[in-house]
Amino acid sequence: MTRLYNEPAAFADEALEGFAAAHRRWVRTVTGGVVRAVPAPAGQVAVVVGGGSGHYPAFSGLVGQGLAHGAAVGNVFASPSAQQIRTVARAAHRGGGVLLMYGNYAGDVLHFGQAAERLNAEGIPTRTFAVTDDVSSAGPAEADKRRGVAGDLPVFKAAAAAAEQGLSLDAVAEVAAHANARTRSFGIAFSGCTLPGADHPLFTVPEGRMAVGLGIHGEPGIGEQGLPTADEAAELLVTTLLKELPDGVTELNGQRAAVILNGLGSVKYEELFVVYRKVAQLLTDEGVEPVDPEVGERVTSFDMAGVSLTLTWLDADLEALWTAPADTPAYRKGTVTARPTPETDTPATDTPADTAAAEPPLPEATDASRAAGTTALAALAAVKDVVDAHADELGRIDAVAGDGDHGIGMRRGSTAAYEAAVLAHASGAGAESLLTLAADAWADRAGGTSGALWGVILRSVATALGNQERPTASAVAHGVLEASTHVRKLGGARPGDKTMVDVLVPFAETLAQHVATGAGLTTAWDAAATEADRAAEATARLLPRMGRARPHAEKSLGTPDAGAHSLALIVRAVHPVLGTCR
């Protein structure tokens, strides 16, 4: 378990602060992550990687010459926000464009995609790429739905080495796609991991058994088997990966492969070496030659007791990229030629536009809108309080088939939104401005899928309320309907997928229907909140079709969706503070 921490919600930030303090030769901090301490040559493509905390040495430990130019680091098991990613990318950019790389998780896809849109709009050419190496998370026909696990490393490494060669942004992205297409991973675990502040692991494995096909966010495996010997574990890992060869690999004899035997957190190095001796033997017996094998912790999951095997099937180009030198805090290979910082080549820094101090002045607001802002502030206080009261419960629900971080993320997001709203209210903000600032703070601090979606929800309502008129029930209902539409568009979920959409859609529609018949906002909201409660309970009978819970669909049967449940709790908590609205 994680024993050394202060405030659990601050764990990720404090870990990054300590990491940077210990590795100043390689990295320096910027808002949202770290970048190389010594910038790359002007014109070089910047490879910016990222994801949630809890996976060290991924992602911050991979920043340095020959590997990543920067890393955006999110909360525990949650993607960094679009703003964090954008800030890191701007600091890493050297004029050649930016390739954003991450594992294929819903929150990462949302936030990195949004960051890329903003960067491109600002004139920084940006591409995104999601690693999809985990064979247990989807079949070959749905390889694009696979999650990224320890295969992140060889794919990141190939792209970064290509950037070091001076290739263009499009060419570096093509290298990443080629490496990803030839990379496969599979893992096993003997116990789950425990998040900072939690008193129990995200999942447990019965004595004498092991989970197979696990993820790196504490997700349980897709099945269980009896506890193996080291040789039996090696055989399972190797035979599973040899069943699915990438296009272009027609036979094993004569093939060369990058091999990573990855410890997930608490399996000792000596144990890994015992397993690897058999892995190497099995591959050699099949005619496969391991090239520069890596044995150790490369992509972890806190204290999870488990191992994974990654194979990247090499051709001449990929082998040159895999064996190219690199020098980072946690990954070193060969010898790099240190690049001194010329006096005229100062590192990029956060621009004033990226700092809170440079926020534009608040738009003018009427007294009526500022009064509505007072109500909005009270609503956000109610949201924060109900999330605080239920954070542990939300984490337990999420851990049934997911990664257990929903409570932590919702607490960080709702607290940040409330604190931003307090400052906005003190500055005389109208309803729109107050909720917009709260939305940005929620998305930025929470990260993850829920952070992105709650940012959209608050922004949609903010736009409907405006800064001029006293909000009407119709305006509020319209804002909630817009939120429902935008969430579905951004996240891609539909009713029945077992997500927050299963609550948001009926809540929005019920609210609008009652307002349309002349009901006041409090009456209509009460009816809609009751429908939200019913819809949240009904998600227990659904099987997930999206997100991290999808590979573990059967495990979640009988348990409501965490995002749906938290939304129902929130809309019920907001109801009592709406009495001043008409």
Side-chain angles (χ1 to χ4, degrees):
M1 62 183 297
T2 308
R3 297 176 177 85
L4 297 175
Y5 56 88
N6 297 308
E7 172 59 40
F11 182 87
D13 294 337
E14 293 179 348
L16 183 65
E17 181 182 350
F19 162 78
H23 296 102
R24 297 189 188 281
R25 180 165 77 84
W26 290 275
V27 302
R28 64 182 181 85
T29 57
V30 295
T31 303
V34 294
V35 296
R36 292 186 188 181
V38 178
Q44 186 174 108
V45 172
V47 174
V48 174
V49 304
S53 298
H55 305 301
Y56 191 84
F59 296 88
S60 55
L62 303 180
V63 175
Q65 194 169 341
L67 233 163
H69 297 72
V73 183
N75 189 26
V76 175
F77 292 170
S79 68
S81 71
Q83 175 64 11
Q84 290 174 308
I85 297 162
R86 171 179 168 269
T87 304
V88 173
R90 285 171 60 91
H93 183 230
R94 299 295 293 154
V98 177
L99 179 62
L100 302 176
M101 303 188 69
Y102 46 92
N104 190 31
Y105 299 91
D108 292 299
V109 172
L110 289 176
H111 286 287
F112 278 91
Q114 290 176 333
E117 290 179 0
R118 294 183 63 180
L119 290 165
N120 279 308
E122 295 166 5
I124 299 177
T126 304
R127 300 278 298 276
T128 65
F129 190 82
V131 180
T132 56
D133 59 301
D134 180 18
V135 301
S136 68
S137 54
E142 296 183 306
D144 62 314
K145 295 182 179 179
R146 288 175 169 171
R147 57 197 172 192
V149 288
D152 284 352
L153 175 57
V155 180
F156 293 170
K157 175 71 165 56
E164 294 280 0
Q165 292 177 355
L167 272 64
S168 68
L169 177 58
D170 286 345
V172 172
E174 289 174 3
V175 167
H178 181 52
N180 184 66
R182 297 174 72 93
T183 299
R184 306 285 188 274
S185 298
F186 182 72
I188 58 177
F190 316 109
S191 70
C193 60
T194 305
L195 300 184
D199 57 5
H200 58 278
L202 293 179
F203 72 90
T204 58
V205 181
E207 189 72 25
R209 304 281 289 176
M210 72 171 176
V212 297
L214 64 140
I216 58 167
H217 294 93
E219 308 101 315
I222 59 174
E224 288 182 2
Q225 295 184 17
L227 192 65
T229 64
D231 284 358
E232 289 169 345
E235 290 171 0
L236 173 62
L237 295 169
V238 172
T239 56
T240 298
L241 293 186
L242 295 187
K243 289 177 183 177
E244 185 189 320
L245 301 179
D247 291 342
V249 178
T250 57
E251 62 178 39
L252 294 174
N253 191 43
Q255 295 295 328
R256 296 166 67 81
V259 182
I260 301 174
L261 185 65
N262 176 58
L264 283 158
S266 65
V267 174
K268 303 299 293 183
Y269 271 62
E270 287 87 346
E271 295 175 89
L272 293 174
F273 291 137
V274 172
V275 174
Y276 184 73
R277 55 170 275 287
K278 187 63 174 179
V279 168
Q281 176 191 323
L282 292 169
L283 291 173
T284 301
D285 288 347
E286 294 288 348
V288 179
E289 181 176 350
V291 177
D292 272 9
E294 295 283 341
V295 180
E297 294 182 350
R298 300 296 178 261
V299 180
T300 61
S301 185
F302 271 113
D303 60 333
M304 183 184 288
V307 299
S308 65
L309 180 66
T310 298
L311 299 179
T312 298
W313 300 93
L314 301 173
D315 55 22
D317 291 337
L318 285 178
E319 183 165 342
L321 298 170
W322 172 243
T323 57
D327 182 30
T328 78
Y331 184 88
R332 299 166 200 171
K333 178 174 288 189
T335 302
V336 302
T337 301
R339 180 175 179 271
T341 306
E343 293 182 3
T344 59
D345 189 9
T346 57
T349 58
D350 293 356
T351 65
D354 293 322
T355 64
E359 288 293 334
L362 292 172
E364 291 293 329
T366 64
D367 290 342
S369 184
R370 284 194 288 270
T374 301
T375 302
L377 177 61
L380 289 169
V383 171
K384 180 182 74 69
D385 290 344
V386 75
V387 168
D388 279 343
H390 293 272
D392 291 342
E393 174 195 5
L394 295 173
R396 286 192 297 270
I397 292 173
D398 191 36
V400 171
D403 55 17
D405 71 336
H406 188 68
I408 293 175
M410 290 293 289
R411 175 178 278 156
R412 283 172 62 105
S414 60
T415 299
Y418 172 71
E419 291 173 349
V422 169
L423 294 176
H425 184 261
S427 299
E432 179 179 7
S433 297
L434 183 144
L435 285 174
T436 297
L437 292 170
D440 291 345
W442 191 314
D444 192 38
R445 288 294 293 162
T449 306
S450 66
L453 298 182
W454 272 99
V456 166
I457 290 171
L458 293 182
R459 269 189 169 269
S460 298
V461 175
T463 300
L465 299 188
N467 282 319
Q468 300 302 313
E469 305 296 330
R470 182 181 181 87
T472 63
S474 294
V476 174
H478 174 70
V480 175
L481 279 174
E482 286 293 293
S484 174
T485 298
H486 291 154
V487 163
R488 280 176 284 169
K489 181 179 179 180
L490 179 63
R494 298 173 297 177
D497 285 346
K498 194 165 187 172
T499 70
M500 71 183 303
V501 166
D502 290 299
V503 169
L504 183 56
V505 169
F507 174 75
E509 292 178 348
T510 302
L511 180 64
Q513 289 166 3
H514 279 73
V515 168
T517 62
L521 181 59
T522 54
T523 300
W525 193 282
D526 182 46
T530 299
E531 179 61 20
D533 289 335
R534 182 207 62 76
E537 292 176 4
T539 62
R541 299 189 291 273
L542 298 175
L543 293 175
R545 298 198 293 244
M546 296 189 70
R548 294 175 189 167
R550 185 179 59 82
H552 319 288
E554 297 295 335
K555 292 179 180 292
S556 76
L557 197 60
T559 302
D561 175 70
H565 184 54
S566 62
L567 176 56
L569 290 171
I570 285 171
V571 297
R572 176 55 66 190
V574 167
H575 175 248
V577 306
L578 298 178
T580 59
C581 296
R582 296 291 184 265

